[in-house]
Amino acid sequence: MKVLVIGGGAREHALCRSLSLDPDVSALYCAPGNAGIAEVAELYPVDALDGSAVAALATELGAGLVVVGPEAPLVAGVADAVRAAGIPVFGPSAEAALLEGSKAFAKDVMASAGVPTARSYVCTTPEEVDEALDAFGAPYVVKDDGLAAGKGVVVTADLAAARAHALACDRVVIEEFLDGPEVSLFAITDGVTVLPLQPAQDFKRALDGDEGPNTGGMGAYSPLPWADPKLVDEVMASVLQPTVDELRRRGTPFSGLLYAGLAITSRGVRVIEFNARFGDPETQVVLARLRTPLASVLLGAATGTLHTEPPLNWREDAAVTVVIASHNYPETPRTGDPIEGLAEVAAEDAPEAYVLHAGTRREGDAVVSAGGRVLSVTATGSDLAQARERAYKAVGRIRLDGSQHRTDIAAKAAEGR
């Protein structure tokens, strides 16, 4: 099978790495890719938001499967264009991708499907914003209704900051604060059958101790030793299957990757948000633990044959990923800085630790930063403590001027807290 992956971040590098190890994959392409992905896939330039251009490239390459990584192309209908060209594609239609593209739409689906989530108001005027903020009180949870690259949510006790964020959005969802730890659970689905992956936890805040602004994610780990062993079964029954069933009932079946961001509250599991694609950086740790070859599972979702796939096979190992970000991320990250130490990690730490590229590009013989989140340093180990130790040892070899990373990824979980 020839596979084309659309995107150019660490999530796509993780997908390409797994696909490159799959014996069923005879050729692997990525568009537009990055400096790291170029080591495992052949890169092609493409506007990832242009469905006709992506479909034309897939046709030209003779791809038997297209995997759309990021959310923006899905919401823009890229998967629809590829499907219309007769090529199997892993990723939902534009209509179904509204589950991520509009938080108000997601709330409506959850209400119809009986999925537990936070109480909320959809607001479009300053008066509605003030009423909603007053109704819920602090801490305030304010979400831009549309896509915002993981940075459209403000959680704050500061009423003025909450109001300012709300008024900067065309349409905003204001909801009650959910207490308890957060969990990410992915599921692969063909619109009928739902195949859950292993849960992970990511770290959204920029600084240690969950301080600082929200980011796209600064690290992640899996498994979750503190989570209830029945968590996946519970979420399947109360969240994932009902949501997939409801979208099919509406005539907008969802096939691809359904990502549930969950809060484990004192009142039970609640959905914080849905995404319509693999999450970054959780994908890096989840795929590090997946033993089952990836291509046939993604193709099964794309062709409606997921029910014929055997159960997924998982490694016992734990995995930790630590994001190295540019100077001044997430505000106005600096780019163009040379990255050193990549060869040292490959020589000294592989295969237990490796580097997945996010925002990088090649300039001559050098690899330089090209985005806010630059690298995801990922490691496996017999437990979280060993995986964490290996990840941070590899992080210590990377040199990027002005870079930043959190030092506490998976620390509490590794210590049994």
Side-chain angles (χ1 to χ4, degrees), residues 103 142-154 165 169 214:
K103 292 179 176 61
V142 184
K143 300 180 175 182
D144 190 334
D145 180 55
L147 295 179
K151 291 172 271 188
V153 179
V154 165
H165 181 66
C169 305
N214 254 356

Side-chain angles (χ1 to χ4, degrees), residues 18-76:
S18 290
L19 289 165
S20 73
L21 298 172
D22 188 331
D24 287 341
V25 176
S26 58
L28 182 59
Y29 313 106
C30 187
N34 62 40
I37 295 173
E39 296 175 11
V40 295
E42 196 175 329
L43 301 192
Y44 286 85
V46 77
D47 178 356
L49 297 176
D50 185 338
S52 59
V54 171
L57 176 61
T59 302
E60 178 190 330
L61 295 172
L65 174 66
V66 175
V67 180
V68 183
E71 60 272 25
L74 292 168
V75 172

Side-chain angles (χ1 to χ4, degrees), residues 12 51 71 177 226 231 241 256 402 414:
E12 288 75 35
E71 60 272 25
F177 176 77
W226 49 267
L231 175 66
Q241 193 70 57

Side-chain angles (χ1 to χ4, degrees), residues 126-354:
E127 293 75 23
E128 289 173 345
V129 165
D130 290 339
E131 284 179 25
L133 292 172
D134 184 57
F136 288 129
Y140 305 102
V141 181
V142 184
K143 300 180 175 182
D144 190 334
D145 180 55
L147 295 179
K151 291 172 271 188
V153 179
V154 165
V155 181
T156 179
D158 184 334
L159 176 59
R163 190 172 190 274
H165 181 66
L167 296 180
C169 305
D170 288 335
R171 185 157 80 149
V172 69
V173 174
I174 296 174
E175 64 184 39
E176 67 176 327
F177 176 77
L178 296 175
D179 63 329
E182 295 184 12
V183 173
S184 301
L185 184 61
F186 302 162
I188 291 170
T189 179
D190 59 6
V192 178
T193 301
V194 181
L195 201 61
L197 305 186
Q198 289 288 302
Q201 185 174 61
D202 80 329
F203 295 76
K204 285 290 186 196
R205 299 284 188 170
L207 307 176
D208 284 4
D210 291 326
E211 300 288 336
N214 254 356
T215 71
M218 295 299 290
Y221 69 93
S222 178
L224 312 182
W226 49 267
D228 187 329
K230 300 180 190 145
L231 175 66
V232 174
D233 291 341
E234 180 187 341
V235 175
M236 266 291 291
S238 66
V239 175
L240 298 171
Q241 193 70 57
T243 300
V244 168
D245 292 346
E246 171 61 20
L247 286 165
R248 188 175 68 253
R249 187 190 68 76
R250 291 179 178 220
T252 55
F254 186 106
S255 73
L257 195 291
L258 178 58
Y259 165 142
L262 309 164
I264 314 300
T265 77
S266 53
R267 294 172 294 144
V269 174
R270 298 287 186 274
V271 175
I272 300 169
E273 64 175 356
F274 282 125
N275 291 335
R277 40 72 196 182
F278 280 102
D280 184 340
E282 300 97 319
T283 301
Q284 289 86 301
V285 291
V286 172
L287 292 186
R289 300 186 56 227
L290 180 64
R291 200 189 297 275
T292 301
L294 188 60
S296 65
V297 182
L298 302 187
L299 185 64
T303 56
T305 58
L306 204 54
H307 64 283
T308 67
E309 289 293 319
L312 295 177
N313 189 356
W314 296 93
R315 295 184 176 89
E316 292 296 317
D317 286 0
V320 171
T321 194
V322 179
V323 170
I324 297 177
S326 294
H327 173 73
N328 206 37
Y329 176 77
E331 305 304 328
T332 50
R334 191 174 76 206
T335 60
D337 289 312
I339 303 164
E340 299 176 336
L342 297 172
E344 292 172 42
V345 175
E348 302 292 335
D349 303 309
E352 292 82 13
Y354 48 89

Side-chain angles (χ1 to χ4, degrees), residues 8 33-36 43 334-339 342 357-371 374-375:
N34 62 40
L43 301 192
R334 191 174 76 206
T335 60
D337 289 312
I339 303 164
L342 297 172
H357 292 230
T360 68
R361 68 173 182 270
R362 188 165 283 284
E363 286 188 357
D365 292 335
V367 175
V368 302
S369 61
V374 181
L375 304 168

